[in-house]
Amino acid sequence: MSRSQWAQVGYLGACEAALQSFGVEIAAVDVAEAAVLTGSVEALVLGRRGFIEPLDLGWTEEHGWGYSRRIGGWPSEDFEHGQFGGGVLPAPEHFAGLVVRIAAGEDLADHVPGEPISYRSAGDDDGFAGRLLAYAPEEAH
């Protein structure tokens, strides 16, 4: 794994830990080794119908965090999708707080009010790699 891929694992791990510190149960965490760094977290949250249901959280280095959740319960194929905003690398605690708001039913479908959406392209020379590297496990430095 490259240093940036280790850093990606570290960032996703920090986001998972932040979610757990807010009491959010995690069903799965995954990262992908591709041209664009990506990852996902499947959180288990109390749904609008009073049942535990998955909230799929996806991250890319180009778009930041977004979410998807089934609406109408099983076996519905209707989903609600949203983009978090707040940049492509929000602090894990900030991200976890937004997830809690979404899980509580706050309507953040397009993006979080006051959280500007920003995008980038993989490989941009914008300081992203250095900010991400701060999350790399020590043995990867």
Side-chain angles (χ1 to χ4, degrees), residues 89-112:
L89 198 64
E93 297 77 19
H94 182 72
F95 158 75
L98 297 176
V99 170
V100 168
R101 290 170 59 186
I102 291 165
E106 193 168 333
D107 184 12
L108 304 175
D110 291 326
H111 71 281
V112 178

Side-chain angles (χ1 to χ4, degrees), residues 36-39 58-66 83 88-89 128:
V36 175
L37 300 177
T38 64
W59 175 82
T60 75
E61 69 173 303
E62 293 184 331
H63 299 104
W65 285 100
Q83 190 71 27
V88 294
L89 198 64
F128 172 83

Side-chain angles (χ1 to χ4, degrees), residues 29-84:
V29 178
D30 191 25
V31 296
E33 294 183 48
V36 175
L37 300 177
T38 64
S40 63
V41 175
E42 184 177 352
L44 300 176
V45 299
L46 184 61
R48 294 184 178 121
R49 298 178 323 121
F51 299 103
I52 299 296
E53 55 189 46
L55 177 62
D56 296 318
L57 306 163
W59 175 82
T60 75
E61 69 173 303
E62 293 184 331
H63 299 104
W65 285 100
Y67 72 94
S68 177
R69 75 151 129 226
R70 188 178 302 271
I71 53 177
W74 296 94
S76 172
E77 293 299 319
D78 294 327
F79 288 86
E80 169 184 88
H81 306 283
Q83 190 71 27
F84 282 83

Side-chain angles (χ1 to χ4, degrees), residues 1-7 37:
M1 266 190 169
S2 71
R3 287 177 44 173
S4 62
Q5 289 166 328
W6 274 114
L37 300 177

